[in-house]
Every structure is written in C-alpha cells, then in structure tokens.
C-alpha cells in the first residue's frame, strides 16, 4: 500500500493537486481497513484483536481530522493568492519574441520571473494550459498579432479567462 500511495504522489496522475493527495489518502485508508478485516477472520478468538482494531480505527479518525484541519488551514493561509500574476497569451510566430521581451521587462519591474507565465518556459503539460489560465492566473495579457484570433489555443485562453473571471488586458 505504501508503494501505490507513494507512486500516486510522485506521478500525480490527477490535474488538481488536492485530488492527488485525496487519492493517496483513500488508498492508504482502504489498505488499513483491509488489514483490520483480516484481523476479524474466522478462527481468531483473541480479545486483544478488538483492542488492536479499536486503536487502528481511532488512529484513522485522528488522521482524517488532522488532515482536514491542516488542509483547511493551508487553504485559508494561501487565501486568494494565485501562482502567476500574469499569463502571456501569444501566437508564437507572430509575437513570440515580443512576449519574451515583455516577460523580461515585467520580471525586472516585479523582481520575480516566476510570477509570469509564458508557455515556452513554464508549460509541462499542454492539457493543463486552460487550468493554469482559469485557476492560477490573476491577469491574462494578450499579446496581439494579426493571427492571434485564428489560433484555437489563444482563443481558448481568452474564453477560459472570461469564464473564470480572470482579468484580461
């Protein structure tokens, strides 16, 4: 059970971070429940088995309560801060160099290049692109060119920002 939970946390198969932890937690809890069920198998009449199962169930409840409290505290502490201040939406052929120059300029002004998303630097998974725009970005900056509105990814970024109430400039 340790290996499946560990692999789930290393590979992170789900898009949202919290779901990966929930998946690992559920796998661990299910394994513990199966271990408790094994202790109740026929032929085991030792009274200490009940004590062991009670301790395991109490530990599971304590871990769940602590996990919920820690997750809630982290959520409150993180507040509404988003990972990226700016997301630079651009068509590579038309304004790729201008977007790079804009990122360098904004990085100097802000003092932190990590707060500015440009797909060539930060994107590991193309499927997560719209999630980054909608959930992790404060302002979508459209670097317009004559072909910007002909590109499906650019249009998708703008539509996602509009649907998720992300500022657009």
């Amino acid at each position: 059970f340790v290996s499946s939970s560990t692999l789930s946390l290393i590979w992170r198969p789900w898009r949202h971070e919290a779901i990966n932890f929930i998946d690992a937690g559920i796998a661990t809890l299910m394994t513990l429940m199966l271990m408790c069920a094994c202790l109740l198998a026929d032929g085991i009449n030792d009274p200490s088995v009940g004590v062991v199962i009670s301790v395991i169930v109490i530990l599971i409840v304590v871990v769940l309560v602590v996990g919920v409290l820690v997750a809630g505290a982290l959520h409150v502490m993180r507040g509404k801060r988003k990972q990226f201040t700016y997301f630079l939406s651009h068509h590579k052929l038309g304004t790729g160099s201008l977007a790079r120059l804009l990122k360098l300029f904004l990085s100097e002004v802000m003092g932190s290049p990590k707060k500015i998303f440009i797909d060539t630097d930060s994107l590991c998974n193309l499927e997560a692109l719209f999630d980054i725009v909608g959930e992790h970005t404060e302002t979508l900056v459209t670097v317009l060119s004559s072909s910007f509105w002909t590109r499906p990814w650019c249009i998708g970024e703008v539509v996602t920002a509009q649907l998720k109430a992300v500022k657009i400039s």
Side-chain angles (χ1 to χ4, degrees), residues 4-50:
S4 68
S5 297
T6 304
L7 290 176
S8 178
L9 290 175
I10 290 172
W11 287 338
R12 300 181 194 278
W14 305 105
R15 285 186 187 177
H16 296 283
E17 195 69 24
I19 295 175
N20 290 306
F21 286 102
I22 291 170
D23 183 31
I26 289 173
T28 303
L29 288 175
M30 286 175 41
T31 304
L32 288 173
M33 293 298 220
L34 284 172
M35 290 169 55
C36 287
C38 289
L39 292 174
L40 295 174
D42 289 337
I44 300 176
N45 294 326
D46 190 3
S48 64
V49 171

Side-chain angles (χ1 to χ4, degrees), residues 38-136:
C38 289
L39 292 174
L40 295 174
D42 289 337
I44 300 176
N45 294 326
D46 190 3
S48 64
V49 171
V51 173
V52 170
I53 292 175
S54 298
V55 168
I56 290 174
V57 169
I58 290 170
L59 285 174
I60 289 171
V61 170
V62 168
V63 167
L64 284 174
V65 169
V66 169
V68 168
L69 290 175
V70 167
L74 289 174
H75 182 70
V76 168
M77 285 175 29
R78 189 171 51 147
K80 297 257 183 202
R81 279 191 333 230
K82 296 196 176 184
Q83 185 177 359
F84 300 105
T85 305
Y86 298 109
F87 181 105
L88 302 180
S89 178
H90 65 285
H91 176 235
K92 280 187 186 48
L93 291 177
T95 56
S97 299
L98 178 61
R100 167 72 54 206
L101 184 63
L102 181 59
K103 179 180 179 178
L104 292 172
F105 174 75
L106 288 172
S107 296
E108 280 187 32
V109 170
M110 293 174 53
S112 174
K114 291 186 178 183
K115 293 290 214 170
I116 302 163
F117 183 94
I118 189 168
D119 55 3
T120 53
D121 292 346
S122 306
L123 187 62
C124 298
N125 181 4
L126 193 57
E127 292 180 0
L129 186 68
F130 296 144
D131 185 51
I132 292 170
V133 172
E135 303 297 329
H136 303 288

Side-chain angles (χ1 to χ4, degrees), residues 144-156:
L144 297 176
S145 66
S146 59
S147 56
F148 180 87
W149 295 110
T150 64
R151 310 306 304 161
W153 289 105
C154 297
I155 294 170

